[in-house]
Amino acid sequence: MAYQEVTTTGYGTRVGNSFKAIGSGLLMFVLGTALLWWNEGRAVKTEKMLDEAGSAYVEMENPNKKDASLEGELICGTALATTEDSLSDAQFGIGAKAISLTRRVEYYQWVEHSEEKKEDKLGGKEVTTTTYTYSKEWVSRPIESAQFKDPAYQKKNMVLTTFEDAEQYAENVSWGAYQLNESLIHSISSREGLDLAIAEDLLKQFDKNTKTAYERFYGVQKNQQPAAEPAQTVVLSDSAKAVADSLKAVNDSINNAMANAENKKDFEYIHQASNVLYFGRVPGAPEVGDVRVTFEKVVPAKVTVMAVVDGDTFKPFKAKNGKRFQTLVMGKKSGDEIIEAEKEANNMWTWALRILGVLIVIGGLKGIFGFVETILKVVPFIAGIFGWGIGLVCSVVGVAWSLIVIAIAWLFYRPLLGISLLVLAGFLVWVFAFKGKDKLKELAARAKEKGGNPAPAPAPNE
């Protein structure tokens, strides 16, 4: 069964905490407002910079030949990014001629999940029931199970060995007749698995050390089953199940790749296949403490660069407003395509930060006025009604305040456009409020005139 922990918070403590939350609510309100203001400025400056870059760049027809006439110009060109540098991972004695070399380490561990359920009681008390569940998962860091709430799972985690994630880049990466700078090098994403060629003596040493660690924890020999683990009870939401399914698919693909790899090497506790080195007895049936290390490299690839020529390398483009811009994208792209994609990304970030800012402002207002609902928690039913109303008011006021901040920011960062919009809005109000009113009076007068003086009827025939 899942492990549960029940705590009770008294009415006085809740009220005190709600008043303390006013300060954090004010801070959230200020931070949300600042984020909204800053975001509008960032968006405008970025858009202007991209417009300036879009009208300033020139196409580099042949990056394989240096062109002195392009010195200091913002260029856009496509060529092969490659290197002669050799990178190595000294800890595993492997290496390759590559643009980048990456080591990623994962540990199979018990993971604690918690879910809270709060219930208001008559008199203002709050009862919180926290349910803890546990599942075995691949994680990026070892987990200290001694801190788990359920005693049955405490000290159930161990690792057969530990390694640090590592990533290194080549210093010299050529792009046609030019050299890429560090930022552009880090943008290359042509990753693929690094076939391992670890010395057999090192693998044997790994195997010996891993066996020692395994038997120290499990206290069993190689062909015996490990001690039984506590029953695993996991309650997952639909979204968590989806994530778990996707992780399982990744794990299955790694296990299948190891099973089918041509350069597979197996020892008792060490298994090497393709670009994965596995520490554990059976890769397809991981046990707590197992470790897998995945190696990848970035290989030469055709890329498009948009940056300013600076001798035999590149530097960022600096717009008139001070914003800087340089980019590297995979494959062949035109300058217009790159600028358009950057504008779409800028627009996406603008809306994402707007929504985040609005939510922070609303959360701040709820924190400021939340004490009202807490005070009424003596009668949960009444508090629920007032809480719903306070939440609604805070949401409406938060959205209205956010719109005002965004509007004023537009006036500040885009004064001509902002003033033009205000003039247009004022003109429309004047037209509808005054000219429209006069027009209605004129139409009413005409109707009255027609109604008061009807046309004479035709005389009857004599």
Side-chain angles (χ1 to χ4, degrees):
M1 293 178 63
Y3 183 79
Q4 289 188 331
E5 187 177 66
V6 180
T7 57
T8 301
T9 305
Y11 177 70
T13 302
R14 297 183 69 187
V15 173
N17 292 338
S18 68
F19 279 105
K20 292 179 182 178
I22 294 176
S24 58
L26 283 170
L27 179 61
M28 287 182 64
F29 182 80
V30 172
L31 290 176
T33 301
L35 174 61
L36 290 170
W37 181 275
W38 171 83
N39 180 48
E40 296 305 315
R42 178 206 61 79
V44 171
K45 290 179 180 179
T46 301
E47 184 177 347
K48 288 182 177 179
M49 178 270 292
L50 291 173
D51 287 337
E52 187 177 337
S55 60
Y57 83 90
V58 295
E59 293 285 352
M60 179 180 276
E61 300 294 339
N62 184 15
N64 295 312
K65 183 178 180 181
K66 290 184 180 179
D67 187 345
S69 65
L70 295 177
E71 179 68 23
E73 295 284 349
L74 174 63
I75 61 90
C76 179
T78 303
L80 181 69
T82 187
T83 184
E84 293 298 319
D85 289 3
S86 293
L87 304 178
S88 62
D89 188 324
Q91 197 164 9
F92 291 90
I94 57 175
K97 186 182 293 185
I99 296 172
S100 172
L101 199 63
T102 303
R103 179 211 301 168
R104 181 167 55 88
V105 187
E106 296 171 284
Y107 304 88
Y108 199 64
Q109 300 279 272
W110 280 108
V111 180
E112 182 178 70
H113 305 273
S114 63
E115 183 177 354
E116 284 188 351
K117 182 180 179 182
K118 298 180 181 294
E119 185 179 2
D120 294 321
K121 296 294 185 179
L122 194 64
K125 292 183 179 180
E126 180 184 60
V127 176
T128 303
T129 302
T130 307
T131 302
Y132 296 94
T133 57
Y134 300 84
S135 62
K136 289 184 281 188
E137 304 172 15
W138 287 104
V139 295
S140 59
R141 295 289 179 189
I143 296 176
E144 181 54 68
S145 58
Q147 305 301 320
F148 285 172
K149 294 293 183 177
D150 189 344
Y153 287 89
Q154 291 176 357
K155 298 183 180 181
K156 286 297 181 181
N157 273 343
M158 59 84 68
V159 291
L160 296 176
T161 186
T162 58
F163 297 102
E164 294 293 329
D165 289 346
E167 188 169 25
Q168 54 182 306
Y169 290 87
E171 295 183 358
N172 305 293
V173 178
S174 60
W175 182 79
Y178 297 85
Q179 295 291 314
L180 297 180
N181 61 36
E182 183 178 359
S183 177
L184 295 175
I185 291 173
H186 288 198
S187 299
I188 303 173
S189 58
S190 51
R191 293 185 179 275
E192 64 178 39
L194 172 66
D195 287 337
L196 305 182
I198 302 175
E200 190 163 334
D201 289 344
L202 183 58
L203 291 175
K204 288 180 179 179
Q205 185 63 45
F206 282 153
D207 186 69
K208 179 180 178 181
N209 295 340
T210 304
K211 179 180 180 180
T212 300
Y214 184 94
E215 294 183 347
R216 183 185 302 120
F217 180 78
Y218 285 110
V220 296
Q221 297 302 315
K222 60 183 180 180
N223 291 323
Q224 295 177 321
Q225 293 298 321
E229 300 284 3
Q232 182 177 342
T233 303
V234 184
V235 180
L236 299 175
S237 63
D238 292 340
S239 59
K241 289 180 180 178
V243 173
D245 291 341
S246 63
L247 290 175
K248 183 178 184 301
V250 172
N251 294 332
D252 290 343
S253 65
I254 292 177
N255 292 334
N256 291 335
M258 293 190 68
N260 299 325
E262 294 181 0
N263 65 332
K264 182 176 179 180
K265 287 185 179 180
D266 276 325
F267 290 83
E268 190 174 350
Y269 288 86
I270 297 295
H271 311 274
Q272 172 193 321
S274 186
N275 65 322
V276 179
L277 185 64
Y278 193 96
F279 295 75
R281 293 196 304 174
V282 184
E287 300 175 70
V288 171
D290 285 7
V291 180
R292 66 185 183 195
V293 187
T294 305
F295 299 87
E296 292 181 322
K297 62 181 178 179
V298 171
V299 298
K302 182 183 289 187
V303 299
T304 299
V305 170
M306 199 170 193
V308 174
V309 177
D310 183 25
D312 64 347
T313 185
F314 300 95
K315 64 181 181 180
F317 170 77
K318 185 177 180 179
K320 294 177 181 178
N321 61 13
K323 293 283 288 185
R324 296 177 181 272
F325 171 70
Q326 67 173 354
T327 189
L328 179 149
V329 297
M330 303 304 298
K332 182 176 177 60
K333 299 287 184 180
S334 68
D336 290 345
E337 289 176 324
I338 291 177
I339 294 297
E340 183 63 29
E342 291 290 334
K343 286 185 176 180
E344 290 178 359
N346 180 46
N347 186 58
M348 180 184 68
W349 274 108
T350 300
W351 278 103
L353 292 174
R354 279 174 181 166
I355 294 172
L356 177 61
V358 172
L359 293 177
I360 293 176
V361 167
I362 294 174
L365 289 172
K366 289 182 177 180
I368 294 172
F369 297 102
F371 71 92
V372 177
E373 180 185 359
T374 304
I375 291 174
L376 298 173
K377 288 291 186 180
V378 177
V379 184
F381 174 73
I382 295 177
I385 296 175
F386 273 85
W388 181 86
I390 292 171
L392 179 62
V393 171
C394 288
S395 298
V396 172
V397 173
V399 171
W401 172 260
S402 300
L403 292 176
I404 291 172
V405 172
I406 292 173
I408 296 175
W410 269 59
L411 286 176
F412 183 82
Y413 290 110
R414 299 184 181 184
L416 292 178
L417 179 58
I419 293 173
S420 298
L421 290 174
L422 284 179
V423 170
L424 177 60
F427 175 74
L428 292 174
V429 170
W430 178 76
V431 167
F432 285 101
F434 295 99
K435 289 296 185 179
K437 185 177 180 181
D438 293 341
K439 186 67 175 176
L440 287 174
K441 287 182 177 179
E442 181 182 345
L443 292 174
R446 288 183 182 179
K448 184 177 181 180
E449 181 181 346
K450 290 181 179 180
N453 300 293
N461 294 330
E462 297 181 355

